[in-house]
Amino acid sequence: MLSRWRLLALFLLITLTTGCNSGKNVTLSGSVTIDGQPVENGSLTFIQEGGVGQTAGAIITAGKYTASEVPVGKLRVTFQATRKTGKMLPGYSEPIPETVNIIPPKYRDGQSIEVKSSQSQLDFTLSSE
């Protein structure tokens, strides 16, 4: 449950901190998989290269996402997804489920992409190898 709140907070932060963009924006939809398996829950963020300008984000649910207001051009997309290990950790009032990052290490700093104004579909196929 805590991870859903974190994802919601991340999405709201991205939405509230979007800057001005002099270029065109698009809505992108697609899938996110790791080793052929859909990412059940997570998020992705589109950041203009250089970290200056507009950002956009989306929640990943059952391996699918839709992101609106994605800036056109060279971007870096970052991924965030966790899964429960089945272990419980001590919490303040009750134990909480342990979660681990499932994004392969080579993608944790993001992936460079280029978004075109005519684009509406973009799938991300991540591999642990």
mmCIF file with all atom_site columns, all heavy atoms in Angstrom, residues 78-104:
data_model
loop_
_atom_site.group_PDB
_atom_site.id
_atom_site.type_symbol
_atom_site.label_atom_id
_atom_site.label_alt_id
_atom_site.label_comp_id
_atom_site.label_asym_id
_atom_site.label_entity_id
_atom_site.label_seq_id
_atom_site.pdbx_PDB_ins_code
_atom_site.Cartn_x
_atom_site.Cartn_y
_atom_site.Cartn_z
_atom_site.occupancy
_atom_site.B_iso_or_equiv
_atom_site.pdbx_formal_charge
_atom_site.auth_seq_id
_atom_site.auth_comp_id
_atom_site.auth_asym_id
_atom_site.auth_atom_id
_atom_site.pdbx_PDB_model_num
ATOM 1   N N   . THR A 1 78  ? 13.077 7.628   -17.295 1.00 0.00 ? 78  THR A N   1
ATOM 2   C CA  . THR A 1 78  ? 13.491 6.878   -16.115 1.00 0.00 ? 78  THR A CA  1
ATOM 3   C C   . THR A 1 78  ? 12.329 6.000   -15.667 1.00 0.00 ? 78  THR A C   1
ATOM 4   O O   . THR A 1 78  ? 11.164 6.350   -15.850 1.00 0.00 ? 78  THR A O   1
ATOM 5   C CB  . THR A 1 78  ? 13.934 7.793   -14.964 1.00 0.00 ? 78  THR A CB  1
ATOM 6   O OG1 . THR A 1 78  ? 12.852 8.648   -14.590 1.00 0.00 ? 78  THR A OG1 1
ATOM 7   C CG2 . THR A 1 78  ? 15.143 8.626   -15.359 1.00 0.00 ? 78  THR A CG2 1
ATOM 8   N N   . PHE A 1 79  ? 12.662 4.869   -15.070 1.00 0.00 ? 79  PHE A N   1
ATOM 9   C CA  . PHE A 1 79  ? 11.680 3.881   -14.657 1.00 0.00 ? 79  PHE A CA  1
ATOM 10  C C   . PHE A 1 79  ? 11.774 3.650   -13.156 1.00 0.00 ? 79  PHE A C   1
ATOM 11  O O   . PHE A 1 79  ? 12.864 3.676   -12.590 1.00 0.00 ? 79  PHE A O   1
ATOM 12  C CB  . PHE A 1 79  ? 11.943 2.541   -15.365 1.00 0.00 ? 79  PHE A CB  1
ATOM 13  C CG  . PHE A 1 79  ? 12.033 2.653   -16.848 1.00 0.00 ? 79  PHE A CG  1
ATOM 14  C CD1 . PHE A 1 79  ? 13.253 2.865   -17.476 1.00 0.00 ? 79  PHE A CD1 1
ATOM 15  C CD2 . PHE A 1 79  ? 10.903 2.549   -17.644 1.00 0.00 ? 79  PHE A CD2 1
ATOM 16  C CE1 . PHE A 1 79  ? 13.352 2.972   -18.851 1.00 0.00 ? 79  PHE A CE1 1
ATOM 17  C CE2 . PHE A 1 79  ? 10.983 2.658   -19.018 1.00 0.00 ? 79  PHE A CE2 1
ATOM 18  C CZ  . PHE A 1 79  ? 12.213 2.868   -19.628 1.00 0.00 ? 79  PHE A CZ  1
ATOM 19  N N   . GLN A 1 80  ? 10.633 3.377   -12.548 1.00 0.00 ? 80  GLN A N   1
ATOM 20  C CA  . GLN A 1 80  ? 10.591 3.023   -11.133 1.00 0.00 ? 80  GLN A CA  1
ATOM 21  C C   . GLN A 1 80  ? 9.566  1.906   -10.982 1.00 0.00 ? 80  GLN A C   1
ATOM 22  O O   . GLN A 1 80  ? 8.416  2.048   -11.438 1.00 0.00 ? 80  GLN A O   1
ATOM 23  C CB  . GLN A 1 80  ? 10.203 4.233   -10.278 1.00 0.00 ? 80  GLN A CB  1
ATOM 24  C CG  . GLN A 1 80  ? 10.545 4.158   -8.808  1.00 0.00 ? 80  GLN A CG  1
ATOM 25  C CD  . GLN A 1 80  ? 9.697  3.200   -7.993  1.00 0.00 ? 80  GLN A CD  1
ATOM 26  O OE1 . GLN A 1 80  ? 8.511  3.069   -8.204  1.00 0.00 ? 80  GLN A OE1 1
ATOM 27  N NE2 . GLN A 1 80  ? 10.334 2.530   -7.079  1.00 0.00 ? 80  GLN A NE2 1
ATOM 28  N N   . ALA A 1 81  ? 9.983  0.790   -10.406 1.00 0.00 ? 81  ALA A N   1
ATOM 29  C CA  . ALA A 1 81  ? 9.060  -0.311  -10.142 1.00 0.00 ? 81  ALA A CA  1
ATOM 30  C C   . ALA A 1 81  ? 9.649  -1.188  -9.042  1.00 0.00 ? 81  ALA A C   1
ATOM 31  O O   . ALA A 1 81  ? 10.857 -1.429  -9.014  1.00 0.00 ? 81  ALA A O   1
ATOM 32  C CB  . ALA A 1 81  ? 8.814  -1.141  -11.395 1.00 0.00 ? 81  ALA A CB  1
ATOM 33  N N   . THR A 1 82  ? 8.795  -1.632  -8.171  1.00 0.00 ? 82  THR A N   1
ATOM 34  C CA  . THR A 1 82  ? 9.206  -2.506  -7.077  1.00 0.00 ? 82  THR A CA  1
ATOM 35  C C   . THR A 1 82  ? 8.260  -3.700  -7.013  1.00 0.00 ? 82  THR A C   1
ATOM 36  O O   . THR A 1 82  ? 7.187  -3.690  -7.611  1.00 0.00 ? 82  THR A O   1
ATOM 37  C CB  . THR A 1 82  ? 9.182  -1.771  -5.722  1.00 0.00 ? 82  THR A CB  1
ATOM 38  O OG1 . THR A 1 82  ? 7.860  -1.314  -5.465  1.00 0.00 ? 82  THR A OG1 1
ATOM 39  C CG2 . THR A 1 82  ? 10.152 -0.612  -5.694  1.00 0.00 ? 82  THR A CG2 1
ATOM 40  N N   . ARG A 1 83  ? 8.685  -4.703  -6.277  1.00 0.00 ? 83  ARG A N   1
ATOM 41  C CA  . ARG A 1 83  ? 7.801  -5.832  -5.980  1.00 0.00 ? 83  ARG A CA  1
ATOM 42  C C   . ARG A 1 83  ? 8.028  -6.242  -4.537  1.00 0.00 ? 83  ARG A C   1
ATOM 43  O O   . ARG A 1 83  ? 9.092  -6.015  -3.962  1.00 0.00 ? 83  ARG A O   1
ATOM 44  C CB  . ARG A 1 83  ? 8.019  -6.999  -6.928  1.00 0.00 ? 83  ARG A CB  1
ATOM 45  C CG  . ARG A 1 83  ? 9.307  -7.733  -6.715  1.00 0.00 ? 83  ARG A CG  1
ATOM 46  C CD  . ARG A 1 83  ? 9.346  -9.046  -7.490  1.00 0.00 ? 83  ARG A CD  1
ATOM 47  N NE  . ARG A 1 83  ? 10.679 -9.593  -7.449  1.00 0.00 ? 83  ARG A NE  1
ATOM 48  C CZ  . ARG A 1 83  ? 11.226 -10.208 -6.399  1.00 0.00 ? 83  ARG A CZ  1
ATOM 49  N NH1 . ARG A 1 83  ? 10.546 -10.352 -5.285  1.00 0.00 ? 83  ARG A NH1 1
ATOM 50  N NH2 . ARG A 1 83  ? 12.467 -10.660 -6.455  1.00 0.00 ? 83  ARG A NH2 1
ATOM 51  N N   . LYS A 1 84  ? 6.997  -6.825  -3.964  1.00 0.00 ? 84  LYS A N   1
ATOM 52  C CA  . LYS A 1 84  ? 7.084  -7.312  -2.591  1.00 0.00 ? 84  LYS A CA  1
ATOM 53  C C   . LYS A 1 84  ? 7.877  -8.612  -2.575  1.00 0.00 ? 84  LYS A C   1
ATOM 54  O O   . LYS A 1 84  ? 7.727  -9.447  -3.466  1.00 0.00 ? 84  LYS A O   1
ATOM 55  C CB  . LYS A 1 84  ? 5.697  -7.527  -2.009  1.00 0.00 ? 84  LYS A CB  1
ATOM 56  C CG  . LYS A 1 84  ? 4.929  -6.251  -1.836  1.00 0.00 ? 84  LYS A CG  1
ATOM 57  C CD  . LYS A 1 84  ? 3.553  -6.515  -1.278  1.00 0.00 ? 84  LYS A CD  1
ATOM 58  C CE  . LYS A 1 84  ? 2.783  -5.204  -1.177  1.00 0.00 ? 84  LYS A CE  1
ATOM 59  N NZ  . LYS A 1 84  ? 1.419  -5.411  -0.700  1.00 0.00 ? 84  LYS A NZ  1
ATOM 60  N N   . THR A 1 85  ? 8.713  -8.772  -1.527  1.00 0.00 ? 85  THR A N   1
ATOM 61  C CA  . THR A 1 85  ? 9.526  -9.984  -1.399  1.00 0.00 ? 85  THR A CA  1
ATOM 62  C C   . THR A 1 85  ? 8.813  -11.087 -0.627  1.00 0.00 ? 85  THR A C   1
ATOM 63  O O   . THR A 1 85  ? 9.255  -12.227 -0.659  1.00 0.00 ? 85  THR A O   1
ATOM 64  C CB  . THR A 1 85  ? 10.845 -9.673  -0.656  1.00 0.00 ? 85  THR A CB  1
ATOM 65  O OG1 . THR A 1 85  ? 10.535 -9.303  0.692   1.00 0.00 ? 85  THR A OG1 1
ATOM 66  C CG2 . THR A 1 85  ? 11.645 -8.599  -1.360  1.00 0.00 ? 85  THR A CG2 1
ATOM 67  N N   . GLY A 1 86  ? 7.760  -10.737 0.074   1.00 0.00 ? 86  GLY A N   1
ATOM 68  C CA  . GLY A 1 86  ? 7.087  -11.703 0.937   1.00 0.00 ? 86  GLY A CA  1
ATOM 69  C C   . GLY A 1 86  ? 7.550  -11.599 2.383   1.00 0.00 ? 86  GLY A C   1
ATOM 70  O O   . GLY A 1 86  ? 6.948  -12.185 3.279   1.00 0.00 ? 86  GLY A O   1
ATOM 71  N N   . LYS A 1 87  ? 8.619  -10.846 2.616   1.00 0.00 ? 87  LYS A N   1
ATOM 72  C CA  . LYS A 1 87  ? 9.121  -10.633 3.979   1.00 0.00 ? 87  LYS A CA  1
ATOM 73  C C   . LYS A 1 87  ? 8.456  -9.403  4.579   1.00 0.00 ? 87  LYS A C   1
ATOM 74  O O   . LYS A 1 87  ? 8.051  -8.492  3.859   1.00 0.00 ? 87  LYS A O   1
ATOM 75  C CB  . LYS A 1 87  ? 10.634 -10.424 3.974   1.00 0.00 ? 87  LYS A CB  1
ATOM 76  C CG  . LYS A 1 87  ? 11.428 -11.613 3.511   1.00 0.00 ? 87  LYS A CG  1
ATOM 77  C CD  . LYS A 1 87  ? 12.913 -11.294 3.526   1.00 0.00 ? 87  LYS A CD  1
ATOM 78  C CE  . LYS A 1 87  ? 13.721 -12.452 2.983   1.00 0.00 ? 87  LYS A CE  1
ATOM 79  N NZ  . LYS A 1 87  ? 15.151 -12.118 2.944   1.00 0.00 ? 87  LYS A NZ  1
ATOM 80  N N   . MET A 1 88  ? 8.378  -9.382  5.876   1.00 0.00 ? 88  MET A N   1
ATOM 81  C CA  . MET A 1 88  ? 7.826  -8.230  6.597   1.00 0.00 ? 88  MET A CA  1
ATOM 82  C C   . MET A 1 88  ? 8.949  -7.566  7.379   1.00 0.00 ? 88  MET A C   1
ATOM 83  O O   . MET A 1 88  ? 9.816  -8.235  7.944   1.00 0.00 ? 88  MET A O   1
ATOM 84  C CB  . MET A 1 88  ? 6.706  -8.670  7.541   1.00 0.00 ? 88  MET A CB  1
ATOM 85  C CG  . MET A 1 88  ? 5.518  -9.300  6.836   1.00 0.00 ? 88  MET A CG  1
ATOM 86  S SD  . MET A 1 88  ? 4.712  -8.218  5.654   1.00 0.00 ? 88  MET A SD  1
ATOM 87  C CE  . MET A 1 88  ? 3.810  -7.142  6.739   1.00 0.00 ? 88  MET A CE  1
ATOM 88  N N   . LEU A 1 89  ? 8.948  -6.237  7.395   1.00 0.00 ? 89  LEU A N   1
ATOM 89  C CA  . LEU A 1 89  ? 9.941  -5.451  8.125   1.00 0.00 ? 89  LEU A CA  1
ATOM 90  C C   . LEU A 1 89  ? 9.258  -4.740  9.280   1.00 0.00 ? 89  LEU A C   1
ATOM 91  O O   . LEU A 1 89  ? 8.075  -4.393  9.192   1.00 0.00 ? 89  LEU A O   1
ATOM 92  C CB  . LEU A 1 89  ? 10.581 -4.419  7.192   1.00 0.00 ? 89  LEU A CB  1
ATOM 93  C CG  . LEU A 1 89  ? 11.311 -4.962  5.982   1.00 0.00 ? 89  LEU A CG  1
ATOM 94  C CD1 . LEU A 1 89  ? 11.752 -3.826  5.080   1.00 0.00 ? 89  LEU A CD1 1
ATOM 95  C CD2 . LEU A 1 89  ? 12.512 -5.785  6.414   1.00 0.00 ? 89  LEU A CD2 1
ATOM 96  N N   . PRO A 1 90  ? 10.009 -4.481  10.351  1.00 0.00 ? 90  PRO A N   1
ATOM 97  C CA  . PRO A 1 90  ? 9.404  -3.755  11.471  1.00 0.00 ? 90  PRO A CA  1
ATOM 98  C C   . PRO A 1 90  ? 8.968  -2.361  11.038  1.00 0.00 ? 90  PRO A C   1
ATOM 99  O O   . PRO A 1 90  ? 9.675  -1.681  10.303  1.00 0.00 ? 90  PRO A O   1
ATOM 100 C CB  . PRO A 1 90  ? 10.530 -3.665  12.504  1.00 0.00 ? 90  PRO A CB  1
ATOM 101 C CG  . PRO A 1 90  ? 11.610 -4.580  12.034  1.00 0.00 ? 90  PRO A CG  1
ATOM 102 C CD  . PRO A 1 90  ? 11.388 -4.836  10.582  1.00 0.00 ? 90  PRO A CD  1
ATOM 103 N N   . GLY A 1 91  ? 7.797  -1.952  11.463  1.00 0.00 ? 91  GLY A N   1
ATOM 104 C CA  . GLY A 1 91  ? 7.285  -0.618  11.174  1.00 0.00 ? 91  GLY A CA  1
ATOM 105 C C   . GLY A 1 91  ? 7.025  0.113   12.478  1.00 0.00 ? 91  GLY A C   1
ATOM 106 O O   . GLY A 1 91  ? 7.286  -0.427  13.561  1.00 0.00 ? 91  GLY A O   1
ATOM 107 N N   . TYR A 1 92  ? 6.495  1.328   12.405  1.00 0.00 ? 92  TYR A N   1
ATOM 108 C CA  . TYR A 1 92  ? 6.229  2.094   13.616  1.00 0.00 ? 92  TYR A CA  1
ATOM 109 C C   . TYR A 1 92  ? 5.147  1.442   14.464  1.00 0.00 ? 92  TYR A C   1
ATOM 110 O O   . TYR A 1 92  ? 5.315  1.267   15.661  1.00 0.00 ? 92  TYR A O   1
ATOM 111 C CB  . TYR A 1 92  ? 5.823  3.531   13.267  1.00 0.00 ? 92  TYR A CB  1
ATOM 112 C CG  . TYR A 1 92  ? 6.974  4.340   12.747  1.00 0.00 ? 92  TYR A CG  1
ATOM 113 C CD1 . TYR A 1 92  ? 7.033  4.707   11.411  1.00 0.00 ? 92  TYR A CD1 1
ATOM 114 C CD2 . TYR A 1 92  ? 8.014  4.715   13.574  1.00 0.00 ? 92  TYR A CD2 1
ATOM 115 C CE1 . TYR A 1 92  ? 8.093  5.441   10.919  1.00 0.00 ? 92  TYR A CE1 1
ATOM 116 C CE2 . TYR A 1 92  ? 9.095  5.435   13.098  1.00 0.00 ? 92  TYR A CE2 1
ATOM 117 C CZ  . TYR A 1 92  ? 9.117  5.806   11.761  1.00 0.00 ? 92  TYR A CZ  1
ATOM 118 O OH  . TYR A 1 92  ? 10.172 6.525   11.285  1.00 0.00 ? 92  TYR A OH  1
ATOM 119 N N   . SER A 1 93  ? 4.031  1.079   13.864  1.00 0.00 ? 93  SER A N   1
ATOM 120 C CA  . SER A 1 93  ? 2.948  0.482   14.646  1.00 0.00 ? 93  SER A CA  1
ATOM 121 C C   . SER A 1 93  ? 2.690  -0.973  14.257  1.00 0.00 ? 93  SER A C   1
ATOM 122 O O   . SER A 1 93  ? 2.117  -1.716  15.034  1.00 0.00 ? 93  SER A O   1
ATOM 123 C CB  . SER A 1 93  ? 1.664  1.293   14.480  1.00 0.00 ? 93  SER A CB  1
ATOM 124 O OG  . SER A 1 93  ? 1.272  1.312   13.121  1.00 0.00 ? 93  SER A OG  1
ATOM 125 N N   . GLU A 1 94  ? 3.096  -1.353  13.049  1.00 0.00 ? 94  GLU A N   1
ATOM 126 C CA  . GLU A 1 94  ? 2.913  -2.731  12.599  1.00 0.00 ? 94  GLU A CA  1
ATOM 127 C C   . GLU A 1 94  ? 3.922  -3.027  11.505  1.00 0.00 ? 94  GLU A C   1
ATOM 128 O O   . GLU A 1 94  ? 4.465  -2.112  10.881  1.00 0.00 ? 94  GLU A O   1
ATOM 129 C CB  . GLU A 1 94  ? 1.489  -2.951  12.094  1.00 0.00 ? 94  GLU A CB  1
ATOM 130 C CG  . GLU A 1 94  ? 1.121  -2.067  10.924  1.00 0.00 ? 94  GLU A CG  1
ATOM 131 C CD  . GLU A 1 94  ? -0.340 -2.231  10.522  1.00 0.00 ? 94  GLU A CD  1
ATOM 132 O OE1 . GLU A 1 94  ? -1.215 -1.980  11.353  1.00 0.00 ? 94  GLU A OE1 1
ATOM 133 O OE2 . GLU A 1 94  ? -0.559 -2.606  9.355   1.00 0.00 ? 94  GLU A OE2 1
ATOM 134 N N   . PRO A 1 95  ? 4.190  -4.297  11.257  1.00 0.00 ? 95  PRO A N   1
ATOM 135 C CA  . PRO A 1 95  ? 5.148  -4.649  10.201  1.00 0.00 ? 95  PRO A CA  1
ATOM 136 C C   . PRO A 1 95  ? 4.674  -4.164  8.826   1.00 0.00 ? 95  PRO A C   1
ATOM 137 O O   . PRO A 1 95  ? 3.477  -4.058  8.575   1.00 0.00 ? 95  PRO A O   1
ATOM 138 C CB  . PRO A 1 95  ? 5.184  -6.173  10.249  1.00 0.00 ? 95  PRO A CB  1
ATOM 139 C CG  . PRO A 1 95  ? 4.652  -6.546  11.579  1.00 0.00 ? 95  PRO A CG  1
ATOM 140 C CD  . PRO A 1 95  ? 3.685  -5.466  11.959  1.00 0.00 ? 95  PRO A CD  1
ATOM 141 N N   . ILE A 1 96  ? 5.653  -3.866  7.970   1.00 0.00 ? 96  ILE A N   1
ATOM 142 C CA  . ILE A 1 96  ? 5.349  -3.440  6.605   1.00 0.00 ? 96  ILE A CA  1
ATOM 143 C C   . ILE A 1 96  ? 6.028  -4.402  5.628   1.00 0.00 ? 96  ILE A C   1
ATOM 144 O O   . ILE A 1 96  ? 7.068  -4.969  5.938   1.00 0.00 ? 96  ILE A O   1
ATOM 145 C CB  . ILE A 1 96  ? 5.806  -1.984  6.336   1.00 0.00 ? 96  ILE A CB  1
ATOM 146 C CG1 . ILE A 1 96  ? 7.307  -1.819  6.612   1.00 0.00 ? 96  ILE A CG1 1
ATOM 147 C CG2 . ILE A 1 96  ? 5.000  -1.000  7.145   1.00 0.00 ? 96  ILE A CG2 1
ATOM 148 C CD1 . ILE A 1 96  ? 7.875  -0.496  6.206   1.00 0.00 ? 96  ILE A CD1 1
ATOM 149 N N   . PRO A 1 97  ? 5.443  -4.592  4.454   1.00 0.00 ? 97  PRO A N   1
ATOM 150 C CA  . PRO A 1 97  ? 6.053  -5.514  3.486   1.00 0.00 ? 97  PRO A CA  1
ATOM 151 C C   . PRO A 1 97  ? 7.362  -4.962  2.928   1.00 0.00 ? 97  PRO A C   1
ATOM 152 O O   . PRO A 1 97  ? 7.469  -3.780  2.617   1.00 0.00 ? 97  PRO A O   1
ATOM 153 C CB  . PRO A 1 97  ? 5.014  -5.630  2.374   1.00 0.00 ? 97  PRO A CB  1
ATOM 154 C CG  . PRO A 1 97  ? 3.842  -4.830  2.782   1.00 0.00 ? 97  PRO A CG  1
ATOM 155 C CD  . PRO A 1 97  ? 4.183  -4.059  3.997   1.00 0.00 ? 97  PRO A CD  1
ATOM 156 N N   . GLU A 1 98  ? 8.357  -5.825  2.812   1.00 0.00 ? 98  GLU A N   1
ATOM 157 C CA  . GLU A 1 98  ? 9.624  -5.452  2.190   1.00 0.00 ? 98  GLU A CA  1
ATOM 158 C C   . GLU A 1 98  ? 9.421  -5.417  0.677   1.00 0.00 ? 98  GLU A C   1
ATOM 159 O O   . GLU A 1 98  ? 8.770  -6.285  0.104   1.00 0.00 ? 98  GLU A O   1
ATOM 160 C CB  . GLU A 1 98  ? 10.702 -6.477  2.534   1.00 0.00 ? 98  GLU A CB  1
ATOM 161 C CG  . GLU A 1 98  ? 12.040 -6.172  1.878   1.00 0.00 ? 98  GLU A CG  1
ATOM 162 C CD  . GLU A 1 98  ? 13.072 -7.245  2.144   1.00 0.00 ? 98  GLU A CD  1
ATOM 163 O OE1 . GLU A 1 98  ? 12.818 -8.421  1.795   1.00 0.00 ? 98  GLU A OE1 1
ATOM 164 O OE2 . GLU A 1 98  ? 14.130 -6.904  2.692   1.00 0.00 ? 98  GLU A OE2 1
ATOM 165 N N   . THR A 1 99  ? 9.977  -4.395  0.027   1.00 0.00 ? 99  THR A N   1
ATOM 166 C CA  . THR A 1 99  ? 9.927  -4.297  -1.431  1.00 0.00 ? 99  THR A CA  1
ATOM 167 C C   . THR A 1 99  ? 11.343 -4.134  -1.969  1.00 0.00 ? 99  THR A C   1
ATOM 168 O O   . THR A 1 99  ? 12.225 -3.628  -1.280  1.00 0.00 ? 99  THR A O   1
ATOM 169 C CB  . THR A 1 99  ? 9.064  -3.108  -1.901  1.00 0.00 ? 99  THR A CB  1
ATOM 170 O OG1 . THR A 1 99  ? 9.603  -1.909  -1.368  1.00 0.00 ? 99  THR A OG1 1
ATOM 171 C CG2 . THR A 1 99  ? 7.622  -3.255  -1.465  1.00 0.00 ? 99  THR A CG2 1
ATOM 172 N N   . VAL A 1 100 ? 11.548 -4.588  -3.204  1.00 0.00 ? 100 VAL A N   1
ATOM 173 C CA  . VAL A 1 100 ? 12.839 -4.446  -3.868  1.00 0.00 ? 100 VAL A CA  1
ATOM 174 C C   . VAL A 1 100 ? 12.638 -3.809  -5.238  1.00 0.00 ? 100 VAL A C   1
ATOM 175 O O   . VAL A 1 100 ? 11.598 -3.970  -5.866  1.00 0.00 ? 100 VAL A O   1
ATOM 176 C CB  . VAL A 1 100 ? 13.571 -5.802  -4.020  1.00 0.00 ? 100 VAL A CB  1
ATOM 177 C CG1 . VAL A 1 100 ? 13.967 -6.361  -2.670  1.00 0.00 ? 100 VAL A CG1 1
ATOM 178 C CG2 . VAL A 1 100 ? 12.730 -6.795  -4.793  1.00 0.00 ? 100 VAL A CG2 1
ATOM 179 N N   . ASN A 1 101 ? 13.640 -3.081  -5.682  1.00 0.00 ? 101 ASN A N   1
ATOM 180 C CA  . ASN A 1 101 ? 13.640 -2.460  -7.004  1.00 0.00 ? 101 ASN A CA  1
ATOM 181 C C   . ASN A 1 101 ? 13.787 -3.562  -8.052  1.00 0.00 ? 101 ASN A C   1
ATOM 182 O O   . ASN A 1 101 ? 14.707 -4.364  -7.992  1.00 0.00 ? 101 ASN A O   1
ATOM 183 C CB  . ASN A 1 101 ? 14.806 -1.475  -7.091  1.00 0.00 ? 101 ASN A CB  1
ATOM 184 C CG  . ASN A 1 101 ? 14.803 -0.668  -8.358  1.00 0.00 ? 101 ASN A CG  1
ATOM 185 O OD1 . ASN A 1 101 ? 14.062 -0.934  -9.293  1.00 0.00 ? 101 ASN A OD1 1
ATOM 186 N ND2 . ASN A 1 101 ? 15.663 0.335   -8.402  1.00 0.00 ? 101 ASN A ND2 1
ATOM 187 N N   . ILE A 1 102 ? 12.880 -3.609  -9.037  1.00 0.00 ? 102 ILE A N   1
ATOM 188 C CA  . ILE A 1 102 ? 12.963 -4.642  -10.064 1.00 0.00 ? 102 ILE A CA  1
ATOM 189 C C   . ILE A 1 102 ? 13.516 -4.118  -11.393 1.00 0.00 ? 102 ILE A C   1
ATOM 190 O O   . ILE A 1 102 ? 13.661 -4.883  -12.339 1.00 0.00 ? 102 ILE A O   1
ATOM 191 C CB  . ILE A 1 102 ? 11.597 -5.322  -10.301 1.00 0.00 ? 102 ILE A CB  1
ATOM 192 C CG1 . ILE A 1 102 ? 10.556 -4.323  -10.829 1.00 0.00 ? 102 ILE A CG1 1
ATOM 193 C CG2 . ILE A 1 102 ? 11.135 -6.038  -9.050  1.00 0.00 ? 102 ILE A CG2 1
ATOM 194 C CD1 . ILE A 1 102 ? 9.284  -4.969  -11.332 1.00 0.00 ? 102 ILE A CD1 1
ATOM 195 N N   . ILE A 1 103 ? 13.829 -2.824  -11.451 1.00 0.00 ? 103 ILE A N   1
ATOM 196 C CA  . ILE A 1 103 ? 14.404 -2.268  -12.680 1.00 0.00 ? 103 ILE A CA  1
ATOM 197 C C   . ILE A 1 103 ? 15.851 -2.744  -12.795 1.00 0.00 ? 103 ILE A C   1
ATOM 198 O O   . ILE A 1 103 ? 16.638 -2.556  -11.864 1.00 0.00 ? 103 ILE A O   1
ATOM 199 C CB  . ILE A 1 103 ? 14.336 -0.720  -12.682 1.00 0.00 ? 103 ILE A CB  1
ATOM 200 C CG1 . ILE A 1 103 ? 12.895 -0.234  -12.562 1.00 0.00 ? 103 ILE A CG1 1
ATOM 201 C CG2 . ILE A 1 103 ? 15.021 -0.148  -13.910 1.00 0.00 ? 103 ILE A CG2 1
ATOM 202 C CD1 . ILE A 1 103 ? 11.977 -0.678  -13.682 1.00 0.00 ? 103 ILE A CD1 1
ATOM 203 N N   . PRO A 1 104 ? 16.223 -3.376  -13.909 1.00 0.00 ? 104 PRO A N   1
ATOM 204 C CA  . PRO A 1 104 ? 17.612 -3.825  -14.074 1.00 0.00 ? 104 PRO A CA  1
ATOM 205 C C   . PRO A 1 104 ? 18.586 -2.653  -13.910 1.00 0.00 ? 104 PRO A C   1
ATOM 206 O O   . PRO A 1 104 ? 18.302 -1.534  -14.350 1.00 0.00 ? 104 PRO A O   1
ATOM 207 C CB  . PRO A 1 104 ? 17.637 -4.382  -15.502 1.00 0.00 ? 104 PRO A CB  1
ATOM 208 C CG  . PRO A 1 104 ? 16.224 -4.789  -15.778 1.00 0.00 ? 104 PRO A CG  1
ATOM 209 C CD  . PRO A 1 104 ? 15.388 -3.754  -15.065 1.00 0.00 ? 104 PRO A CD  1
#
